[in-house]
């Protein structure tokens, strides 16, 4: 490898051998790192907002009813998801026209700016109704940018990864997600344990949100330093008027020609994100506000951190397993586990002692990590290169908005209406069934080229791949 452009349209470190795209491993590592660092920042905020839901409710929604405060806070949390499809519809097709890196840098800085601004908003006691209105606006900015972030990041890694290692490399995207969650949980746990309630309500809650500013600048810098993906470079080479094509044309192709892929994507995203937000966004509140007194908020945060640390350790191994055994068997295993183990995990959590809560959260976390490790490599393979980012962003965000981001709000409302504390278990079972249906109709993609792209291999695979 000389570092020069060895093929027209390719960036340094990329070449074509017998029609097979070969990418230098150092370039792949940089691409994966840039995408993962962005995910750290994005999900750091979502984790912090969930872990501090009770505190945020008191700051922005003063009320005599704790349930009303929670519903208002989670309603604001869910509001960001309502605009995610709009962000996906804007940024997804844009990434298919002007390139992946420009869009990813834009979404990165927008997300960080929205998070940083939350840390600057005066409380309800200071400016009244304007406080929750400004909080809602900041969340809408976050939601709009996130609509283009995750689909773009998945597309970016998938198009850089060699076909036989896409599961392993894609799992690093969710490694970044877990790192962001853990980072947020650790900061919240430290603040809760070391600060008085008055200090936390007065100014302490702002600290984690203000940290997002510097993180966003670092993420944007890393992303701007990267070249376009080999798959997109080839697409531009063969479609010179790519940027002139309209979003309307792409939408027509997505919704008319690829609606089966959208439905499959929606089902897989549903099972992934219902499990995700049940564990990370709702369980801390379930433990502190819905169950009889048991473990403390600090103990709950520590247990969440330990569970996510275990997930962090195993996630890349599961990603590698999907390369070896196939995406469908691995994901189906997770769906079956949800149907069988969701109720036992919730029953353990309801005991509200340290050992039982840890066991219940660990079961839920291990079910989630099956999806976290495999979805970043599975979902981009549902769409061809020319509409990949648009099709993925639209499908992903519609499903997340309807079923993922509303988990905490729906659970709080259902438990308040029925008094049945088993709703989290029932909800997870339903998600597992829908996910299994999506897996059944999906095509196996492990070890195969992405639709609309040539085969891709690492330098040590190019000879055998060419054969």
């Amino acid at each position: 490898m000389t570092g020069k452009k060895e093929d027209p349209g390719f960036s340094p470190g990329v070449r074509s051998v017998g029609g097979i795209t070969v990418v230098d491993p150092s370039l792949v590592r940089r691409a994966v790192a840039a995408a993962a660092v962005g995910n750290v920042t994005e999900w750091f905020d979502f984790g912090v907002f969930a872990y501090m839901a009770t505190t945020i409710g008191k700051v922005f929604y003063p009320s005599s009813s704790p349930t009303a405060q929670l519903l208002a806070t989670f309603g604001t949390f869910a509001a960001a998801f309502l605009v995610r499809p709009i962000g996906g519809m804007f940024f997804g097709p844009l990434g298919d026209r002007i390139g992946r890196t420009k869009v990813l840098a834009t979404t990165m800085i927008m997300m960080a700016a929205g998070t940083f601004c939350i840390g600057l908003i005066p409380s309800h006691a200071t400016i009244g109704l304007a406080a929750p209105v400004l909080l809602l606006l900041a969340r809408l900015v976050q939601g709009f940018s996130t609509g283009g972030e995750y689909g773009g990041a998945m597309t970016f890694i998938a198009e850089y990864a060699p076909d036989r290692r896409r599961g392993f490399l894609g799992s690093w995207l969710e490694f970044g997600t877990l790192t962001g969650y853990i980072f947020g949980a650790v900061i919240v746990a430290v603040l809760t344990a070391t600060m008085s309630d008055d200090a936390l309500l007065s100014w302490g809650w702002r600290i984690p949100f203000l940290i997002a500013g510097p993180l966003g600048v670092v993420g944007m810098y890393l992303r701007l330093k990267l070249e376009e993906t080999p798959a997109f470079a080839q697409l531009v080479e063969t479609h010179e008027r790519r940027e002139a094509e309209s979003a309307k044309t792409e939408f027509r192709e997505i919704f008319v020609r690829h609606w089966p892929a959208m439905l499959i994507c929606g089902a897989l995203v549903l099972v992934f994100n219902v499990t995700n937000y049940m564990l990370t966004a709702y369980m801390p509140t379930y433990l502190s506000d819905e169950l009889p007194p048991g473990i403390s908020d600090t103990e709950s945060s520590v247990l969440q951190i330990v569970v996510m640390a275990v997930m962090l350790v195993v996630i890349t191994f599961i990603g590698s397993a999907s390369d070896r055994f196939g995406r469908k068997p691995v994901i189906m295993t997770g769906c079956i586990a949800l149907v069988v183990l969701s109720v036992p995990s919730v029953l353990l959590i309801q005991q509200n002692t340290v050992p039982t809560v840890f066991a219940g959260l660990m079961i839920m976390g291990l079910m989630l990590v099956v999806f976290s490790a495999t979805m970043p490599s599975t979902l981009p393979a549902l769409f061809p290169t020319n509409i990949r980012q648009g099709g993925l962003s639209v499908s992903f965000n519609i499903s997340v908005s309807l079923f993922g981001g509303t988990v905490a709000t729906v659970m709080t409302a259902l438990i308040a209406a029925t008094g049945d504390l088993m709703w989290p278990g029932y909800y997870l079972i339903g998600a597992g069934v829908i996910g299994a249906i999506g897996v059944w109709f999906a095509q196996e993609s492990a070890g195969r080229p992405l639709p609309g792209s040539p085969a891709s291999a690492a330098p040590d695979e190019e000879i055998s791949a060419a054969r």
Side-chain angles (χ1 to χ4, degrees):
M1 189 77 63
T2 64
K4 299 179 180 179
K5 282 193 177 183
E6 301 179 36
D7 294 280
F10 281 153
S11 60
V14 183
R15 57 199 172 100
S16 179
V17 179
I20 297 171
T21 302
V22 181
V23 185
D24 188 87
S26 63
L27 186 57
V28 174
R29 287 193 295 269
R30 286 173 51 211
V32 171
V37 166
N39 247 28
V40 170
T41 303
E42 177 183 356
W43 299 105
F44 165 78
D45 161 67
F46 277 83
V48 166
F49 200 96
Y51 296 131
M52 301 199 77
T54 302
T55 301
I56 291 172
K58 295 176 181 177
V59 172
F60 289 98
Y61 303 100
S63 169
S64 59
S65 169
T67 299
Q69 286 182 341
L70 271 181
L71 284 172
T73 303
F74 283 135
T76 303
F77 182 83
F81 289 85
L82 297 179
V83 298
R84 279 185 64 159
I86 301 174
M89 290 179 183
F90 177 79
F91 286 116
L94 189 64
D96 286 327
R97 296 201 309 277
I98 69 171
R100 321 304 195 197
T101 56
K102 296 174 184 176
V103 168
L104 282 175
T106 302
T107 58
M108 177 78 267
I109 199 62
M110 284 182 65
M111 182 69 187
T115 306
F116 186 78
C117 286
I118 289 177
L120 300 177
I121 299 173
S123 68
H124 186 280
T126 304
I127 61 173
L129 186 61
V133 171
L134 290 174
L135 177 64
L136 177 61
L137 289 175
R139 289 292 295 164
L140 293 177
V141 170
Q142 291 174 321
F144 185 74
S145 62
T146 305
E149 163 66 29
Y150 197 71
M154 279 194 290
T155 298
F156 192 76
I157 290 182
E159 291 183 348
Y160 259 112
D163 296 334
R164 298 180 185 177
R165 301 180 185 177
R166 190 169 292 117
F168 169 71
L169 292 170
S171 67
W172 284 96
L173 182 63
E174 282 298 305
F175 186 96
T177 296
L178 288 169
T179 301
Y181 272 129
I182 292 172
F183 187 27
V186 168
I187 290 178
V188 172
V190 170
L191 291 175
T192 303
T194 59
M195 299 184 70
S196 66
D197 289 343
D198 289 341
L200 195 62
L201 285 170
S202 176
W203 58 272
W205 68 271
R206 300 181 185 276
I207 294 174
F209 292 99
L210 296 177
I211 290 174
L215 285 178
V217 173
V218 172
M220 184 184 67
Y221 173 79
L222 290 175
R223 289 181 170 186
L224 286 174
K225 296 286 286 183
L226 282 171
E227 298 286 345
E228 278 300 340
T229 67
F232 185 80
Q234 287 188 320
L235 181 67
V236 172
E237 192 75 13
T238 55
H239 296 76
E240 294 181 358
R241 293 179 55 80
R242 185 70 192 158
E243 290 191 27
E245 295 182 5
S246 67
K248 183 178 179 181
T249 301
E250 181 165 342
F251 286 139
R252 185 182 300 114
E253 183 171 357
I254 292 171
F255 285 98
V256 175
R257 294 185 54 191
H258 295 279
W259 62 265
M262 291 187 67
L263 291 178
I264 294 171
C265 183
L268 296 178
V269 171
L270 183 151
V271 68
F272 174 23
N273 280 276
V274 165
T275 311
N276 180 23
Y277 288 105
M278 188 69 74
L279 175 65
T280 58
Y282 182 63
M283 277 300 119
T285 300
Y286 184 71
L287 284 163
S288 64
D289 289 54
E290 302 292 0
L291 299 182
I295 67 174
S296 67
D297 290 346
T298 300
E299 288 173 326
S300 172
S301 297
V302 170
L303 293 180
Q304 287 265 348
I305 292 168
V306 173
V307 168
M308 288 188 287
V310 173
M311 294 170 62
L312 205 64
V313 171
V314 303
I315 189 168
T316 56
F317 293 98
I318 299 176
S320 293
S322 76
D323 285 328
R324 182 177 180 182
F325 302 110
R327 318 279 189 243
K328 293 184 64 171
V330 175
I331 299 174
M332 185 63 80
T333 299
C335 293
I336 294 172
L338 274 182
V339 174
V340 175
L341 298 177
S342 291
V343 166
S345 70
V346 173
L347 288 173
L348 284 167
I349 292 169
Q350 285 180 4
Q351 302 307 307
N352 215 358
T353 66
V354 170
T356 59
V357 169
F358 178 69
L361 293 178
M362 183 60 72
I363 291 172
M364 203 175 292
L366 292 177
M367 293 189 293
L368 169 60
V369 78
V370 173
F371 307 124
S372 301
T374 52
M375 292 301 177
S377 55
T378 302
L379 300 178
L382 294 172
F383 301 95
T385 304
N386 65 311
I387 63 159
R388 179 168 297 124
Q389 189 165 340
L392 180 53
S393 294
V394 172
S395 306
F396 190 97
N397 288 295
I398 289 175
S399 185
V400 169
S401 298
L402 292 175
F403 306 107
T406 57
V407 164
T409 307
V410 171
M411 290 299 96
T412 301
L414 285 174
I415 291 175
T418 66
D420 189 349
L421 295 174
M422 286 306 303
W423 270 108
Y426 306 150
Y427 213 67
L428 289 173
I429 290 174
V433 172
I434 294 173
I437 295 172
V439 175
W440 180 265
F441 285 101
Q443 292 187 348
E444 181 58 68
S445 61
R448 302 176 183 177
L450 292 171
S453 298
S456 176
D460 59 343
E461 299 173 327
E462 64 185 76
I463 295 177
S464 60
R467 291 175 180 170

